[in-house]
Amino acid sequence: MADDKPFDIENPDLPTWIKKGALPSGGYPYARRLEEDDYLKAARKLQLELVKLQAHLIKTGGRMIIVFEGRDAAGKGGAIDAFREHLNGRYWLDVALPKPSDRERSQWYFQRYVDWLPAAGEAALFDRSWYNRAGVEPVMGFCTPQQTEAFLEEAPKFERMLVRDGIHLFKFWLAIGRETQLKRFHSRRHDPLKQWKISDIDIAALGKWDSYTDAAHRMFKATHKPETPWRVVLANDKLRARLEIMRSVLEATDYEGRDEKGLGEVDEKIVLDPDRFIARHTEM
């Protein structure tokens, strides 16, 4: 296991055990990464379908929320960029909120997220969301256990209200293995073009892998509901993950001009429900 081996993020030489272990880490089901040419061909078909979905939402006044959660360096931002690549940014909003201000910390917890809920024809893609209170905040000591407990009780009620008001809600958890996270953190630390992606909080979280695992499992058990389910996406291979996220949204949404052949089928090796995901983790 990664925790048993030395890793110095300041050392510019990435250990061999991380290089070799990154893709298969966490029980990833594919031995090879998807070739970029294959990705681009598949992505084009799905992005054409997303353009149709965009037109349908604008025409019908539909609203959509897509929550992207997961461990640090899981690829949330890249997945959002791929999703929005050929869509109108005026309607498909990339919502990545900074840490709350003193005023926001005194408000109802969900209040600052409500400000970003979509209007007719819009979709809001949250790069982290209200689920900070179920993950990074309790693990890093930024909230009390009582606040997390209250959140886990209130979040399903909040999301149920959104769905009952007609909003299409998708929740994705991008899961990566330990070695994959270390490899990506190391790249961010030593690539001048990526250094802005890594923070002191990320470094501090390196030793809290198991705590994040426990928090995620607790979150799934409390907030995975039939009307507001989680979809866990195995994301050691970013390209495969991006395709399956796009495909999952399209597969679950009715829109005009839908091309079933172009959509293909969701890869059940990559997209899991939380129960299957937790069972896999328990067996390993």
Side-chain angles (χ1 to χ4, degrees), residues 122-195:
E122 293 180 349
L125 287 71
F126 283 87
D127 185 348
R128 293 203 181 278
S129 66
W130 44 93
Y131 280 101
N132 281 333
R133 180 135 293 180
V136 63
E137 289 187 20
V139 170
M140 300 305 296
F142 298 151
C143 69
T144 67
Q146 293 77 15
Q147 287 174 320
T148 297
E149 189 70 34
F151 169 82
L152 293 174
E153 181 179 345
E154 294 165 1
K157 300 174 184 177
F158 172 67
E159 294 169 0
R160 196 175 299 121
M161 287 190 292
L162 300 178
V163 172
R164 287 179 177 174
D165 199 54
I167 294 176
H168 301 280
L169 174 63
F170 293 89
K171 300 188 297 186
F172 291 102
W173 176 270
L174 277 63
I176 55 175
R178 179 66 162 146
E179 286 85 349
T180 293
Q181 186 185 57
L182 293 177
K183 181 180 179 181
R184 292 179 184 176
F185 272 6
H186 186 271
S187 175
R188 292 178 177 187
R189 189 65 161 178
H190 296 282
D191 185 339
L193 296 177
K194 296 181 180 179
Q195 286 178 353

Side-chain angles (χ1 to χ4, degrees), residues 31-238:
R32 297 173 63 99
R33 298 183 187 279
L34 186 66
E35 295 291 338
E36 186 171 2
D37 287 347
D38 293 333
Y39 165 76
L40 292 174
K41 291 176 184 177
R44 177 171 175 78
K45 293 178 180 179
L46 295 174
Q47 288 168 335
L48 285 170
E49 294 300 303
L50 287 174
V51 171
K52 296 177 188 177
L53 174 58
Q54 173 181 253
H56 181 76
L57 290 179
I58 294 172
K59 180 179 178 180
T60 62
R63 294 167 293 160
M64 183 175 289
I65 294 173
I66 309 177
V67 168
F68 291 79
E69 288 287 349
R71 294 185 186 270
D72 295 321
K76 298 178 288 295
I80 291 173
D81 289 344
F83 203 103
R84 298 175 70 242
E85 185 176 5
H86 298 291
L87 300 177
N88 188 334
R90 292 177 58 191
Y91 292 97
W92 292 80
L93 313 175
D94 183 356
V95 185
L97 302 184
K99 66 179 183 180
S101 65
D102 290 342
R103 182 172 185 274
E104 288 171 329
R105 278 193 287 269
S106 71
Q107 296 173 340
W108 176 49
Y109 179 73
F110 295 94
Q111 188 166 333
R112 75 186 192 124
Y113 299 102
V114 170
D115 288 342
W116 290 93
L117 297 183
E122 293 180 349
L125 287 71
F126 283 87
D127 185 348
R128 293 203 181 278
S129 66
W130 44 93
Y131 280 101
N132 281 333
R133 180 135 293 180
V136 63
E137 289 187 20
V139 170
M140 300 305 296
F142 298 151
C143 69
T144 67
Q146 293 77 15
Q147 287 174 320
T148 297
E149 189 70 34
F151 169 82
L152 293 174
E153 181 179 345
E154 294 165 1
K157 300 174 184 177
F158 172 67
E159 294 169 0
R160 196 175 299 121
M161 287 190 292
L162 300 178
V163 172
R164 287 179 177 174
D165 199 54
I167 294 176
H168 301 280
L169 174 63
F170 293 89
K171 300 188 297 186
F172 291 102
W173 176 270
L174 277 63
I176 55 175
R178 179 66 162 146
E179 286 85 349
T180 293
Q181 186 185 57
L182 293 177
K183 181 180 179 181
R184 292 179 184 176
F185 272 6
H186 186 271
S187 175
R188 292 178 177 187
R189 189 65 161 178
H190 296 282
D191 185 339
L193 296 177
K194 296 181 180 179
Q195 286 178 353
W196 62 271
K197 290 185 175 183
I198 193 165
S199 67
D200 291 340
I201 295 297
D202 294 331
I203 301 300
L206 278 173
K208 297 181 180 294
W209 178 268
D210 290 338
S211 296
Y212 272 104
T213 297
D214 294 342
H217 290 184
R218 183 185 181 197
M219 177 193 74
F220 291 142
K221 291 176 181 177
T223 63
H224 176 62
K225 304 295 182 182
E227 63 272 36
T228 57
W230 279 100
R231 291 171 171 86
V232 180
V233 181
L234 304 186
N236 284 1
D237 182 347
K238 292 180 180 181

Side-chain angles (χ1 to χ4, degrees), residues 29-30 232-234 244 247-248 251 265-273 276-277 280:
Y30 289 101
V232 180
V233 181
L234 304 186
E244 296 311 318
R247 188 173 283 121
S248 294
E251 187 272 338
E265 296 184 357
V266 174
D267 187 343
E268 294 184 356
K269 292 181 180 180
I270 298 295
V271 182
L272 314 176
D273 66 51
R276 282 180 61 208
F277 176 67
R280 285 174 78 260

